[in-house]
Amino acid sequence: MKYSTIPKAILYSTSLILASVAIYLFLNYSINTGMGGEDIGETTGILLGITMSFEILLFFGLQALKRRLIPHDLKKYFVFFVKYLREYHRPIGSLALGILLLHYAFTFDPSNPFAINQITGYATSALVALSLGIGLFYRLHKKAISTL
């Protein structure tokens, strides 16, 4: 077993547990009465922003390599960094999905589903879900990073 397999398995397991807890909370509490977990909702929102920042950092790193924006002296280190980010791309994406579901379970308010903060949350959640869906199901045929 590779050393990188264990952290990936932990990330996938954590995301599965978070998604299961989120679905349970949403179906049993949020739909009927609302959770009232604004503090936990804020924390999960911050965690979601951190995990999605990781994904965006990978995107910008790949684009910088593709467009040859990295100086030749730093290219060796930058390629190592991007390869490391790419290795954990899917596990972090699945963790982001679990955190998104948990965030939604804590912040959904059935008494006022069309409040302005709910509508912006719906739009942001749709964009994050779209980003995760594209990341999971869309495959580009790219050259290896080392050849760039």
Side-chain angles (χ1 to χ4, degrees):
M1 182 178 272
K2 288 183 175 179
Y3 291 114
S4 66
T5 307
I6 294 171
K8 287 180 186 179
I10 291 171
L11 287 171
Y12 282 126
S13 301
T14 303
S15 65
L16 181 65
I17 291 168
L18 287 176
S20 301
V21 167
I23 291 170
Y24 174 77
L25 289 174
F26 183 74
L27 292 176
N28 289 324
Y29 298 106
S30 295
I31 291 178
N32 301 326
T33 60
M35 288 288 291
E38 288 83 18
D39 292 337
I40 297 174
E42 186 174 328
T43 303
T44 55
I46 291 169
L47 289 174
L48 182 61
I50 291 169
T51 55
M52 291 307 291
S53 297
F54 176 86
E55 302 295 328
I56 290 175
L57 186 64
L58 174 64
F59 172 75
F60 284 130
L62 287 173
Q63 290 300 317
L65 282 173
K66 182 190 256 186
R67 300 186 194 297
R68 303 182 197 287
L69 299 175
I70 307 302
H72 189 65
D73 300 341
L74 300 176
K75 186 176 179 181
K76 176 176 66 171
Y77 303 110
F78 199 79
V79 166
F80 174 77
F81 179 68
V82 169
K83 280 184 180 181
Y84 187 75
L85 285 175
R86 195 171 198 178
E87 185 176 345
Y88 287 96
H89 176 68
R90 287 185 183 253
I92 295 292
S94 68
L95 183 65
L97 180 62
I99 292 171
L100 174 67
L101 293 174
L102 192 63
H103 177 72
Y104 194 71
F106 279 114
T107 57
F108 181 71
D109 184 16
S111 65
N112 192 5
F114 297 110
I116 189 70
N117 61 342
Q118 294 284 30
I119 293 172
T120 57
Y122 299 150
T124 304
S125 296
L127 290 173
V128 170
L130 180 67
S131 170
L132 290 170
I134 289 171
L136 287 175
F137 300 114
Y138 183 69
R139 298 235 179 192
L140 291 175
H141 299 288
K142 297 180 181 176
K143 297 183 215 175
I145 294 175
S146 60
T147 62
L148 292 175

